[in-house]
Amino acid sequence: GAVVSQHPSRVICKSGTSVKIECRSLDFQATTMFWYRQFPKKSLMLMATSNEGSKATYEQGVEKDKFLINHASLTLSTLTVTSAHPEDSSFYICSAEATGKGTDTQYFGPGTRLTVL
Amino acid sequence: AQKITQTQPGMFVQEKEAVTLDCTYDTSDPSYGLFWYKQPSSGEMIFLIYQGSYDQQNATEGRYSLNFQKARKSANLVISASQLGDSAMYFCAMRERTGANNLFFGTGTRLTVIP
């Protein structure tokens, strides 16, 4: 199956700092990547859709200036949480869409657990 | 309205037995895809199985099979011969062909396999 990596897996930072999370598709190209947020014992909430070479599409209620997304290549998308605050603490998980075979299956990275002190 | 509904917050199954995890969906799109993912305590989402709305046969992948009943809009996951390693959260998801191409997730079912 397709492999998606995410880095870092865990980060602890002070309030007010910015944190960058990388999502890479290792063995396939992904024109579209997705960023999700998951609260404890809850389902995944889509934050934004990242398209290579164009601006990300944000879901309603997600601040685009706070959650900066860059999809610079067909294998890399980054999410930067700017001026992080304790309420931004969460599990962030990305997925990449592997096209072809008619399934358009999304493969997920292992996630990043962000803790803001 | 919820696009994906999973009514079982938690399920228990004896090791080596089969278990069915329920999923119903709601869409007016004639073309869609249904997915099941497994999320162990480590957090990663592991793709298990896919069913296309036009697929004539139920999808199967090893011990996983999808009981697709289109008229009832249900896509239940069946895990046969449960193993201790199957204990995890299981999410049903749907992608509609028209409009946004993101996945809609259900609330998940926590499966516990009892030795």
Side-chain angles (χ1 to χ4, degrees), chain A residues 30-66:
Chain A
T31 55
T32 304
M33 292 185 175
F34 302 87
W35 287 95
Y36 295 85
R37 182 174 180 176
Q38 186 178 29
F39 291 102
K41 298 184 180 180
K42 297 292 184 183
S43 187
L44 278 71
M45 290 178 52
L46 179 68
M47 298 175 65
T49 301
S50 171
N51 300 297
E52 188 267 336
S54 64
K55 291 183 179 180
T57 304
Y58 290 81
E59 294 300 297
Q60 193 172 11
V62 178
E63 298 176 57
K64 58 183 67 177
D65 294 331
K66 180 163 188 63

Side-chain angles (χ1 to χ4, degrees), chain A residues 13-19 63 65-68 80-88 114 116:
Chain A
C13 69
K14 292 182 178 180
S15 185
T17 59
S18 294
V19 175
E63 298 176 57
D65 294 331
K66 180 163 188 63
F67 298 99
L68 300 178
T80 301
V81 183
T82 62
S83 186
H85 290 284
E87 58 265 29
D88 298 325
L114 171 64
V116 184

Side-chain angles (χ1 to χ4, degrees), chain A residues 1-4 25-28 98 101 105-108, chain B residues 46-47:
Chain A
V3 179
V4 176
S25 56
L26 297 185
D27 52 0
F28 65 100
K101 297 186 179 180
T105 298
Q106 287 186 29
Y107 293 91
F108 285 80
Chain B
I46 302 168
F47 166 69

Side-chain angles (χ1 to χ4, degrees), chain A residues 32 34 36 38 41-44 46 49 51 59 91 93 97 102-111 113, chain B residues 33 35 37 39 41-47 50 89 91 95 97 100-108 110:
Chain A
T32 304
F34 302 87
Y36 295 85
Q38 186 178 29
K41 298 184 180 180
K42 297 292 184 183
S43 187
L44 278 71
L46 179 68
T49 301
N51 300 297
E59 294 300 297
F91 188 66
I93 190 165
E97 189 171 81
T103 64
D104 298 334
T105 298
Q106 287 186 29
Y107 293 91
F108 285 80
R113 190 162 301 281
Chain B
F35 304 79
Y37 288 88
Q39 188 179 40
S41 56
S42 60
E44 68 176 304
M45 295 285 283
I46 302 168
F47 166 69
Y50 166 85
M89 280 290 288
F91 290 96
R95 175 191 159 145
R97 288 287 177 257
N101 56 358
N102 57 283
L103 287 173
F104 296 97
F105 282 90
T107 51
R110 180 167 296 282

